Amino acid sequence: MSKGRIAAIGVIVALVVAFLWFDLGRYLSLDYLKAQQAGIDAFYREHPLAVLAAYFLVYVAITGLSLPGAAIMTLAGGAVFGLLWGTVVVSFASTLGATVAFLVSRYILRDGIQRRYGDRLKTINAGVERDGGFYLFTVRLVPAFPFFVINLVMGLTPMRTLTFAWVSQLGMLPGTIVYVNAGTQLGRIESLQGILSPTLIGSFVLLGIFPLLARWAVGAVQRRRHARGGDETPPRPASSRPPDDSL
């Protein structure tokens, strides 16, 4: 293992240990957020840019290190910044944090896993290279898939970083809007589980699988046409014009 990887692992471990040692997770609870909302609002009115920058950096750090608290941070974004700006800030912060986690997984874990299980992963790698964006979009939309697990698993695949970033931002946007909007009504929320209803989750699932179904349908039509010879260029009809005897 290179010195760079060892240093990166050391920094990550130190940050995670500090998070646990100082029990910073207690600040990322629904009860704490509701209790401190008035104070946070007042501080934001006095120092809007400082609060915005601090919030953005903390969100990126939490998601980049795969620490618990992203859902609470998203609610806080809605409570403090409102629906519009909360959605904008959370969308970019969550995408950047997810990309950091993706790159951490790729830099530290992927080479070892690919060397050890490369033969078994050939089919998966080929599928990700071909259709990875569609699958990522689907799992991003469905709340049943944990946010941090998707980041880490995708980092082990050949997916391009830019593809991961823009597909993640697009796929996470509906859920971001839902949570940020819930944050604007923070006083009415009793638990995180109450934010997503079964109907809403079902809607996300249908929205997520639609691109896959559309791609499958197009592929099926193309294969059927090819099997019937529909892709062959038909021969040109013989011209009915009489030959030119002047040549």
Side-chain angles (χ1 to χ4, degrees), residues 212-226:
L212 294 174
L213 294 176
R215 186 177 179 87
W216 175 85
V218 171
V221 171
Q222 290 177 341
R223 289 190 297 271
R224 190 171 182 179
R225 289 183 58 192
H226 181 73

Side-chain angles (χ1 to χ4, degrees), residues 6 20 32 77 85 104 107 120 175 214:
I6 294 175
L20 298 174
Y32 182 85
W85 286 110
V104 167
Y107 183 65
R120 303 178 187 178

Side-chain angles (χ1 to χ4, degrees), residues 15-227:
L15 292 173
V16 173
V17 169
F19 180 86
L20 298 174
W21 180 267
F22 294 104
D23 192 22
L24 299 180
R26 70 181 184 274
Y27 300 115
L28 299 173
S29 68
L30 183 60
D31 291 338
Y32 182 85
L33 177 59
K34 293 170 71 171
Q36 300 297 321
Q37 184 179 4
I40 296 173
D41 287 341
F43 193 78
Y44 174 62
R45 286 193 295 269
E46 295 178 4
H47 310 282
L49 293 180
V51 171
L52 184 62
Y55 173 86
F56 190 92
L57 292 175
V58 171
Y59 201 119
V60 171
I62 289 173
T63 53
L65 294 172
S66 302
L67 296 171
I72 295 297
M73 289 295 296
T74 304
L75 291 176
V80 176
F81 307 121
L83 179 59
L84 175 59
W85 286 110
T87 299
V88 173
V89 175
V90 170
S91 180
F92 283 96
S94 60
T95 299
L96 181 57
T99 306
V100 170
F102 170 88
L103 292 174
V104 167
S105 174
R106 170 161 295 180
Y107 183 65
I108 294 177
L109 302 174
R110 187 178 72 166
D111 288 348
I113 291 178
Q114 290 291 346
R115 279 196 302 268
R116 186 168 184 178
Y117 303 104
D119 293 338
R120 303 178 187 178
L121 296 175
K122 283 183 179 179
T123 303
I124 296 176
N125 290 338
V128 169
E129 289 180 346
R130 184 179 64 252
D131 300 317
F134 287 91
Y135 291 108
L136 176 60
F137 182 74
T138 298
V139 297
R140 282 301 193 198
L141 277 172
V142 181
F145 296 99
F147 176 82
F148 75 96
V149 172
I150 298 171
N151 302 333
L152 299 179
V153 170
M154 287 298 171
L156 305 177
T157 71
M159 178 174 289
R160 296 175 56 190
T161 304
L162 183 59
T163 300
F164 174 84
W166 77 261
V167 173
S168 291
Q169 184 156 22
L170 184 62
M172 292 187 297
L173 187 58
T176 296
I177 294 174
V178 169
Y179 271 84
V180 170
N181 183 64
T184 63
Q185 307 294 325
L186 188 62
R188 302 179 183 179
I189 301 175
E190 299 298 332
S191 68
L192 295 178
Q193 289 73 21
I195 297 174
L196 295 175
S197 65
T199 301
L200 187 59
I201 293 175
S203 300
F204 283 161
V205 171
L206 292 176
L207 184 61
I209 65 175
F210 177 77
L212 294 174
L213 294 176
R215 186 177 179 87
W216 175 85
V218 171
V221 171
Q222 290 177 341
R223 289 190 297 271
R224 190 171 182 179
R225 289 183 58 192
H226 181 73

